[in-house]
Amino acid sequence: MRRWIVACLLLGACGGAPSAPAPRLPAPRVDAAAGVAAPAGLPSCARRGQQPLPARLAAARQGSAVVLAREGSRLLAYVADADSHSVHTVSIDDRRELGHTRLGGSPRQLLVLADGRVVATLSDGARLAVLEPDPDPTRPLATLCERDVPAEPWGLALSPDDGRLVVTSAWAGTLSILDAATFATRRVVPLARDPRGVLVDEGGVAYVSHLVGARMSMVDLASADAAPEVVDLAARKSSPRAQLADMVARRTGSQGYALASVSMPARVGGEASLRRVLLPMVSVDPGDPGRPSSVYYGPPFDGVPKEAPMVSVVDPERKEMVTPYLLAATETTFARECLLPRAAAVRDRTRSLLVTCFGIDALLELDAWALDPFRAERKRFDVPPGPEGVAVDETSGRAVVFSQLGGALTVIDLDHAATRKATIDLDYRPDPKLAAVARGRQLFYRTDDVRISGDGLGCSSCHQDGRDDAITWATPLGARQTLMLAGRVADTQPYGWEGDRATLADYIGNTVTRLGGKGLAQPELESLSAFLLALEGPPAPPARASDAALARRGRALFEDPAQGCVTCHAGSASTDAAVHNLTQGSLGFQSTTFDTPSLRFVRGTAPYFHDGRYPTLEELLADDKSTMGHSASLPEGERAALAAYLRSL
């Protein structure tokens, strides 16, 4: 394992985007059974039974793919199985599954409320569900109600007073603040791309991780209109082998699925203990897009790899990161590093940070008080493929890990793990389309495999869950942006920015070669191709009347031959499946050919163009130096309509 030293410098926070106004809610009605107000016209989420339900663990107010509750002396786990559209109820003490609840969507995170009800985010739509466990845990959980939220709800957390429930929506890029009694939406806050994990501190501030962009958002739940603040998590590297330009460059980041918080030692003078927010992620150096690299995707190895796991440690009071440097200390490029961190939890008694790692299928126990806990590993435990979630029972000292790809739970006694680790197989019934591509799916998430890359990366290092890392990479051919794959590869051949690969398997094989991998066998390439073709795109956001009207106007402009859009972006796949010669002078690069990319799901794939030169669709459409179409000549309002249509694709 790389043994880097992490230097401690403080970076300043930067401002965030403006928030949306609080939505106007219908007049409330009082549910007599619950004694609380519920939005008019919506079903009540109140409990139907009277018997006590399994109790959540103390202070467990953050969602996860696996959450724990106590039924008397028995420890239970609820498991969000997105593949099977199910929630499993498992007895940890008896090491067996008790019940299985089929849902109408893919649950990503669960959260146990103070009265024992369970909330689930259903990521393949725009809903969350409130569930009531049956007094008999072998019976399914009852769905009490569902509530609409922005597209692809993911993370969950409660405020310390249990009064507000917050929900991140990954595809919509929002944080929804709900009344935890009625589940009415009080405010929707726009955030940067791909928000995922969320927690709320004692002061009522929500902290949100982002899958891309090396950032953490902070939202004050008590404020009705304050804009979110953004903590910059960009790091720098230091290496005697690196060029000065590379050392002063700010690295970006990815894989920000989860975050946790930990109490630090008390300050001198007896003041209250400090809190730190811990965000496991991957620090990324894409190289200088303006300077062609001698290797593909980033600079050559100079002591600090282009993708390096790190835990960004954030001081909430200063709103700053305290771990902004990675120092080279080894010639080893990789060795079973956690390059796909997925879930996190803290064990306060031993000040341990537990992180699950896709790719190497492991749970790492780290020192949560270290400047970078990834550089202070205590133990690691092998688990079944795809560890999606982790929860800790402080009382018994056990960690429970849910492995999505393996359809299993692993129960680890953290104090006696060498002799006390058990695997519980779940009633895992994945969607048949996923089951048919299981081999390719596991290959897609594999890291530390010399057949795939020469520096430990996997397919999902750049294409998280089949999407994109929002990064423009330096390559020998110039700057190249990572393309989203999910829902965009079928019927869009040829492949690659240069359009030089006729089949998906051929393109994957070529990518492996460019990554320095030793190569995959043809059956493995075909398995990966099948998996990518089976990947569905993100859920469509709910249409609003104003947006729909603007998008209709934009569609008319898009289809108008005078604008030139449909000349290349034609048909259901929005591509003419052709390559075009684009000359220097109009677009600023050497004469070469580029494949027409699909415009499916373009709203969530910024930045734009092969070299990522346009941060937004508006800037792309307004460039009067571009010869691709004639949108720059349109009035600003017409360009806004065209952008609205593109965002609807």
Side-chain angles (χ1 to χ4, degrees):
M1 169 155 302
R2 307 182 193 100
R3 300 295 178 187
W4 298 318
I5 306 167
V6 183
C8 178
L9 289 178
L10 298 177
L11 297 178
C14 59
S19 60
R24 181 174 296 175
L25 297 171
R29 63 179 173 81
V30 174
D31 186 294
V36 296
L42 293 178
S44 170
C45 301
R47 283 198 57 195
R48 297 170 184 169
Q50 301 298 321
Q51 293 179 277
L53 299 176
R56 74 179 183 198
L57 302 190
R61 293 184 173 87
Q62 188 178 6
S64 175
V66 55
V67 293
L68 303 176
R70 284 203 174 274
E71 183 189 43
S73 61
R74 181 164 64 171
L75 185 65
L76 300 180
Y78 300 115
V79 182
D81 179 357
D83 290 358
S84 304
H85 291 192
S86 300
V87 172
H88 305 273
T89 304
V90 180
S91 172
I92 300 302
D93 300 304
D94 299 329
R95 298 182 181 179
R96 65 186 181 93
E97 180 171 347
L98 301 176
H100 180 274
T101 304
R102 182 78 176 178
L103 299 179
S106 295
R108 286 296 176 180
Q109 285 199 358
L110 305 174
L111 182 64
V112 181
L113 301 176
D115 62 3
R117 288 175 297 168
V118 177
V119 181
T121 50
L122 304 178
S123 67
D124 54 348
R127 298 166 295 134
L128 60 82
V130 182
L131 313 170
E132 182 176 13
D134 193 273
D136 178 358
T138 65
R139 296 177 59 83
L141 283 67
T143 300
L144 299 174
C145 68
E146 292 187 351
R147 292 290 191 259
D148 292 338
V149 290
E152 200 177 22
W154 197 280
L156 288 165
L158 279 165
S159 60
D161 63 359
D162 290 324
R164 286 158 293 184
L165 176 72
V166 295
V167 184
T168 62
S169 290
W171 186 243
T174 61
L175 179 75
S176 298
I177 304 170
L178 281 65
D179 184 305
T182 66
F183 300 95
T185 299
R186 298 304 184 192
R187 184 181 173 208
V188 177
V189 183
L191 300 175
R193 270 194 61 178
D194 285 304
R196 297 294 172 131
V198 59
L199 63 83
V200 183
D201 71 5
E202 295 299 322
V205 175
Y207 300 87
V208 180
S209 69
H210 292 265
L211 191 60
V212 302
R215 61 172 66 92
M216 184 180 74
S217 296
M218 299 173 58
V219 178
D220 185 351
L221 303 186
S223 174
D225 55 6
E229 297 182 80
V230 177
V231 179
D232 186 359
L233 305 182
R236 290 180 172 88
K237 66 180 175 182
S238 179
S239 170
R241 294 172 50 189
Q243 297 184 42
L244 178 60
D246 292 325
M247 288 194 290
V248 300
R250 288 153 47 84
R251 299 163 67 97
T252 183
S254 68
Q255 310 294 336
Y257 278 98
L259 72 173
S261 67
V262 65
S263 296
M264 302 294 287
R267 294 173 174 173
V268 176
E271 294 183 34
S273 63
L274 299 170
R275 299 292 296 179
R276 291 288 185 262
V277 178
L278 310 176
L279 199 161
M281 57 177 283
V282 174
S283 176
V284 182
D285 183 356
D288 181 357
R291 188 179 72 214
S293 172
S294 61
V295 299
Y296 270 92
Y297 309 117
F301 178 66
D302 55 14
V304 180
K306 61 191 175 192
E307 295 215 2
M310 70 178 296
V311 176
S312 292
V313 180
V314 173
D315 181 342
E317 292 184 5
R318 294 180 178 271
K319 303 174 184 178
E320 293 175 332
M321 183 173 71
V322 299
T323 55
Y325 273 88
L326 293 172
L327 304 190
T330 179
E331 295 296 316
T332 303
T333 55
F334 71 98
R336 282 184 60 76
E337 293 278 25
C338 185
L339 294 177
L340 301 177
R342 195 68 168 212
V346 164
R347 186 187 184 196
D348 283 317
R349 186 171 68 82
T350 57
R351 65 175 193 273
S352 299
L353 173 65
L354 304 175
V355 179
T356 67
C357 309
F358 266 60
I360 58 173
D361 299 326
L363 173 72
L364 305 189
E365 182 180 355
L366 312 173
D367 184 345
W369 287 5
L371 287 176
D372 179 357
F374 265 133
R375 306 280 71 81
E377 181 179 319
R378 292 171 172 171
K379 302 174 187 175
R380 66 171 55 196
F381 313 99
D382 293 332
V383 296
E388 181 80 20
V390 60
V392 178
D393 176 28
E394 289 276 6
T395 303
S396 64
R398 288 177 291 181
V400 180
V401 178
F402 168 51
S403 293
Q404 178 67 85
L405 307 188
L409 284 185
T410 305
V411 183
I412 302 169
D413 186 331
L414 295 171
D415 297 320
H416 307 87
T419 56
R420 299 181 186 174
K421 187 174 79 167
T423 300
I424 304 171
D425 291 327
L426 302 176
D427 185 12
Y428 178 57
R429 307 176 190 177
D431 183 285
K433 291 189 295 184
L434 280 178
V437 295
R439 173 59 175 160
R441 188 184 188 191
Q442 292 202 18
L443 283 169
F444 186 82
Y445 288 105
R446 180 173 294 172
T447 60
D448 202 48
D449 189 331
V450 296
R451 299 174 304 161
I452 296 173
S453 74
D455 54 7
L457 302 188
C459 303
S460 196
S461 293
C462 299
H463 300 283
Q464 302 97 322
D465 294 333
R467 300 189 189 179
D468 70 279
D469 56 14
I471 291 175
T472 300
W473 294 88
T475 81
L477 297 177
R480 294 292 183 269
Q481 180 215 145
T482 304
L483 281 170
M484 178 177 171
L485 302 177
R488 299 182 81 181
V489 296
D491 303 318
T492 61
Q493 62 273 19
Y495 298 103
W497 276 113
E498 283 71 38
D500 56 350
R501 301 290 160 174
T503 69
L504 197 51
D506 186 23
Y507 183 72
I508 295 170
N510 178 256
T511 300
V512 166
T513 299
R514 286 181 277 128
L515 288 170
K518 294 184 177 180
L520 295 168
Q522 190 63 30
E524 293 170 317
L525 295 174
E526 297 295 344
S527 293
L528 274 168
S529 299
F531 170 64
L532 294 179
L533 289 167
L535 278 176
E536 296 181 355
R544 295 183 298 180
S546 58
D547 292 342
L550 193 64
R552 282 195 298 271
R553 173 59 184 149
R555 179 172 183 172
L557 290 165
F558 184 87
E559 295 176 348
D560 183 353
Q563 307 310 322
C565 303
V566 293
T567 303
C568 299
H569 296 286
S572 60
S574 70
T575 174
D576 59 3
V579 295
H580 299 271
N581 185 268
L582 303 174
T583 59
Q584 188 172 355
S586 64
L587 294 173
F589 46 79
Q590 295 179 353
S591 178
T592 186
T593 56
F594 287 92
D595 176 53
T596 305
S598 172
L599 295 180
R600 293 171 180 165
F601 313 112
V602 71
R603 69 183 297 271
T605 63
Y608 301 104
F609 227 53
H610 74 284
D611 55 5
R613 67 178 64 184
Y614 302 114
T616 67
L617 288 172
E618 282 77 9
E619 290 176 79
L620 183 155
L621 295 172
D623 185 1
D624 58 5
K625 296 182 176 61
S626 173
T627 59
M628 298 180 62
H630 310 291
S631 58
S633 63
L634 294 171
E636 184 177 352
E638 302 284 71
R639 292 199 302 271
L642 190 52
Y645 171 65
L646 292 174
R647 290 191 172 97
S648 73
L649 296 176

